[in-house]
Amino acid sequence: MIRSAKGSALGRSRKGLALAAFAAAAALTLSACSGGGAQPKPEASGGGGGGGNSGYTFAMITHETPGDTFWDRIRAGAEQAAKDTGSTLKYSADPDATKQAVLIQNAIDSKVDGIATTLVTPDALIPTVKKAIAAGIPVDSFNSGFAYWQQAGALTHFSSDEFLAGQQAGKRVKDAGATKILCTIQQTGSVALEDRCKGVKDSFANTENLQVNGADDSAVTSAIQAKLSEDKSINWVITLGAPQALDTIKALEGSGSKAKIGTFDTNPDLAQAVKDGKVQWYIDQQPYLQGYMAITQLYLYKKNGNILGGGKAVLTGPSFVDSSNIDATLPFVKNNTR
C-alpha cells in the first residue's frame, strides 16, 4: 500500500522475495540533482499493493523541483521498494531547504518508522535529521550529501561521488580537445552541484562556472546563449541536469556556437538527444536505484538490523552513457527505471 504526499526486507517466503529484489538492485550498483527553485508540490495520495503488509511506514523527503523529471525515477524506485517490502510510503518534497526541514519535522511528528532524505543543504537539514534520530527514528540519506551523511547520523548514504564524477567529466573533455569549459549551476547552495563543477575544474583548470535559474528554462537558454556569444573560446558546456542540457542545445542554435555538450543526469528527451548526437554524453547516477535502496535499507534495518556500506556510502554512480551504450540504456530511461 502506497500513500504519497508531495509538497506538505523474514517467514521465509515473504522475506526471501524482498531480499531477492534488494540483491538484484545491489548488483546493479556494482556494475555501474539536479535541482532548481520553484514552489512545492501539493499533497496527493494514491494506492498500490504487493509484498504483503509489513506494518511499516517510511517517509521520503527530497528537494525536488516541480517539473524536473529526474525525480520521477527516484520516486518510482521508492514506490517499488515499498510494494516489494509491503510498506507504506509517504513522499514529500520542497526545493527550499527551510521548508524541506519542516517536512522532516512533520515526518517525526507523525511517528513514521524511518526517514529517507536528501541532504542538499546540510546546514539547514542536519539539525532536524538529528531530531529524528533522537526520537528513535532511523534515517538514511541519498542523492545529495555525500560528504555529510555521517555528520547527520544517517545509517548509510546512497549516491554518486559528485566530485569524482566532475573530475571524470573534466578529464573526458580535456582528452576530447577542450579549450575552455562552461559549467552551469542551476541551484544556489546545492553542495552536490557545487562539487560537480569543482571536480570539473580540478581536472581542467580553464573552467568557468555560470549560475543559472533552473526553474526557468527560457532564462537558462538566454544566459548560456549570451555567454557563448560573448566568449567564443568556450567549446564545451557541461550542465548539471538534463533540462539545462536541452536548454543548451537551443542556446547553441541562437549563438552560432559549435560547442559540444556533456551533462549530468538524464530524462527521455536528453537520452534521445545523446542518441541523435546533439549531446555527447551524460553521467548516470541511477536515481531509481537510489530511491529503491533508500527505502529497502530502512525496511531491512527495522526488520533485521541490517546496514549496508560498512561505514561508507553506497555508490550508484558515476558512469558515462554515450553513443557506445545509449541503445542499451534508452529503453530503461523511457521505462522510468534508469
Side-chain angles (χ1 to χ4, degrees), residues 10-16 303:
L10 261 147
R12 287 185 182 270
S13 61
R14 190 177 76 205
K15 291 192 289 186
K303 189 73 176 179

Side-chain angles (χ1 to χ4, degrees), residues 64-96:
E64 173 183 356
T65 297
D68 187 344
T69 55
F70 170 86
W71 296 96
D72 294 346
R73 282 173 287 286
I74 293 275
R75 188 172 180 179
E79 290 178 343
Q80 188 61 53
K83 290 179 181 180
D84 289 348
T85 61
S87 303
T88 296
L89 175 68
K90 291 183 174 182
Y91 181 99
S92 60
D94 200 299
D96 182 280

Side-chain angles (χ1 to χ4, degrees), residues 49-291:
N53 184 2
S54 71
Y56 297 135
T57 296
F58 301 123
M60 173 170 279
I61 302 154
T62 79
H63 60 283
E64 173 183 356
T65 297
D68 187 344
T69 55
F70 170 86
W71 296 96
D72 294 346
R73 282 173 287 286
I74 293 275
R75 188 172 180 179
E79 290 178 343
Q80 188 61 53
K83 290 179 181 180
D84 289 348
T85 61
S87 303
T88 296
L89 175 68
K90 291 183 174 182
Y91 181 99
S92 60
D94 200 299
D96 182 280
T98 301
K99 294 177 181 178
Q100 186 181 354
V102 171
L103 295 177
I104 297 173
Q105 185 62 56
N106 291 344
I108 298 170
D109 294 341
S110 65
K111 303 185 186 303
V112 296
D113 296 292
I115 296 172
T117 186
T118 59
L119 296 172
V120 62
T121 46
D123 290 344
L125 299 174
I126 287 177
T128 313
V129 169
K130 289 185 174 180
K131 288 181 181 179
I133 296 168
I137 301 174
V139 178
D140 63 19
S141 57
F142 66 99
N143 181 257
S144 185
F146 177 79
Y148 297 91
W149 65 274
Q150 290 172 312
Q151 179 183 335
L155 296 172
T156 192
H157 181 81
F158 302 99
S159 75
S160 180
D161 183 331
E162 304 292 12
F163 183 74
L164 172 63
Q167 287 178 311
Q168 293 180 350
K171 182 179 185 304
R172 189 174 179 117
V173 300
K174 178 180 180 180
D175 293 345
T179 55
K180 184 175 182 178
I181 302 171
L182 183 66
C183 189
T184 68
I185 302 177
Q186 73 270 22
Q187 183 180 14
T188 303
S190 168
V191 291
L193 300 186
E194 291 172 355
D195 280 349
R196 289 175 177 181
C197 282
K198 286 179 183 177
V200 173
K201 190 174 182 65
D202 185 71
S203 290
F204 192 85
N206 197 19
T207 296
E208 181 177 345
N209 293 353
L210 178 67
Q211 189 77 46
V212 298
N213 180 6
D216 187 339
D217 286 328
S218 62
V220 173
T221 299
S222 296
I224 296 174
Q225 182 175 318
K227 189 64 181 178
L228 293 175
S229 298
E230 169 195 331
D231 190 344
K232 300 297 185 182
S233 69
I234 298 170
N235 67 344
W236 271 90
V237 179
I238 296 180
T239 65
L240 308 187
Q244 292 74 46
L246 297 171
D247 295 337
T248 303
I249 294 174
K250 299 176 185 177
L252 292 180
E253 295 170 353
S255 66
S257 171
K258 301 299 183 183
K260 295 181 179 180
I261 305 169
T263 190
F264 288 71
D265 302 329
T266 193
N267 61 32
D269 290 339
L270 188 281
Q272 187 64 48
V274 171
K275 182 174 175 61
D276 295 342
K278 295 180 179 180
V279 174
Q280 302 304 302
W281 42 259
Y282 70 85
I283 298 177
D284 186 18
Q285 61 173 306
Q286 301 189 94
Y288 179 94
L289 195 57
Q290 292 176 7

